[in-house]
Amino acid sequence: MTTRALVLGGGGPVGIAWESGLVAGFAQAGVDLSQADFIMGTSAGSFVGARLALGADARTLAEPILKEAERAPRGRGGGPPADLSRLRELMAEAQSGKRNPSEVRAEIGAFALQAQTIDEATFLASFGRSFAEQAAWPQKDYACTAVDAEDGSFRLWTAQAGAPLNRAVASSCSVPGVYPPVTIGDRRYIDGGMRSSTNADMAVGYDIVVVIAVRVGDGSEIARRVEAQTAAEVQTLQDGGAVVVVIGPDDGSLASFGPDLMDFTRRPDAARAGLAQGQSQAAILKDIWG
């Protein structure tokens, strides 16, 4: 039997909106990615993936975000951010191969632990109706990614790992310097995107893997690094025998993002752009996904 995996990458609140729209657009055009045997998310993708794994209708996934346009616009999440220039430097160094990536991620964790952000309880509560009280894991095979803030080690949260779902998803979304590290057991964890924007190599062993990558295609230095790392992960999957499709934002979606993926006011536009892209590109996946 052919097995299918869906990998959802990181990209802040704007990425959540775009991925939700994209998945909804695909579903409305006849390609339901929620039927994957395995769903894995990093950062923004952990949120979208958890909603799908818990049974949200893929066709209507973007509706709550589209309705945000009818309410008063919200600004950036988490208040004004700390100076993230050092974080960007460390992320580039972790991906350069010049030092042990875990050592660099531990420095990112130290940065996160020292940063002035909203408190952890407020951050956990910000998941609202979606996950604030959702401790139980879905029946569907779902995983999300995080990094130990103290030693920089990578963690793949699954139902067997013993973490409450809401904290696992929150840890995967904990952007250093913007949100606080999340306590699970006696450790604190930060955004899984500190290892990789997609961590797609964690889906090795599946026959078909669809990778949705938010932070690609705009020509920036960050995008080029993400593209190189994603290509290496795709090669790992292909070496394992998988058919892999990587989907990034098209020109219309990139235009909808704006310069700041943490800007909540961009979410309705990003969701609409994702919806349109999914509807127009569904043919790419129809024969592959089945």
Side-chain angles (χ1 to χ4, degrees), residues 18-279:
W18 177 71
E19 289 182 327
S20 297
L22 186 74
V23 170
F26 280 135
Q28 291 173 16
V31 179
D32 188 353
L33 295 177
S34 73
Q35 297 305 306
D37 299 289
F38 174 58
I39 297 174
M40 188 192 75
T42 290
S43 198
S46 72
F47 187 96
V48 177
R51 287 198 65 208
L52 288 173
L54 286 166
D57 187 339
R59 296 168 299 178
T60 60
L61 198 65
E63 287 187 1
I65 299 168
L66 294 171
K67 290 177 181 178
E68 289 177 10
E70 302 169 6
R71 302 192 290 269
R74 297 166 62 187
R76 291 181 51 94
D83 180 1
L84 299 183
S85 57
R86 180 57 180 158
L87 172 63
R88 288 189 287 270
E89 291 172 3
L90 288 169
M91 289 178 67
E93 187 174 3
Q95 295 166 359
S96 70
K98 294 178 181 178
R99 273 207 292 154
N100 184 324
S102 292
E103 290 181 5
V104 184
R105 292 196 296 265
E107 293 181 24
I108 294 173
F111 169 85
L113 289 165
Q114 294 166 7
Q116 297 298 312
T117 67
I118 59 174
D119 63 84
E120 187 176 344
T122 301
F123 177 48
L124 288 167
S126 72
F127 283 83
R129 291 189 301 272
S130 295
F131 300 117
E133 304 299 330
Q134 180 69 46
W137 282 70
Q139 294 298 310
K140 180 178 282 290
D141 195 2
Y142 165 78
C144 61
T145 66
V147 167
D148 189 305
E150 295 178 37
D151 62 19
S153 60
F154 177 69
R155 187 64 187 257
L156 185 69
W157 294 119
T158 65
Q160 292 73 41
L165 180 68
N166 56 340
R167 286 186 175 268
V169 173
S171 73
S172 192
C173 293
S174 176
V175 181
V178 178
Y179 298 123
V182 173
T183 305
I184 299 176
D186 60 356
R187 310 290 289 184
R188 298 190 74 190
Y189 295 89
I190 57 174
D191 197 319
M194 299 304 104
R195 176 185 184 264
S196 162
S197 182
T198 57
N199 294 294
D201 51 328
M202 295 295 105
V204 71
Y206 288 86
D207 299 313
I208 297 169
V209 183
V210 172
V211 181
I212 297 179
V214 181
R215 308 200 69 173
V216 298
D218 65 8
S220 66
E221 181 181 350
I222 291 175
R224 288 192 294 272
R225 288 202 308 268
V226 170
E227 287 160 8
Q229 189 162 20
T230 302
E233 293 168 3
V234 168
Q235 188 62 57
T236 296
L237 295 172
Q238 291 174 335
D239 289 347
V243 173
V244 186
V245 180
V246 179
I247 300 169
D250 62 11
D251 289 344
S253 293
L254 286 172
S256 75
F257 289 177
D260 182 1
L261 293 176
M262 302 301 293
D263 184 353
F264 278 86
T265 65
R266 291 279 186 168
R267 281 162 51 89
D269 284 346
R272 278 190 289 270
L275 191 65
Q277 181 178 343
Q279 290 169 339

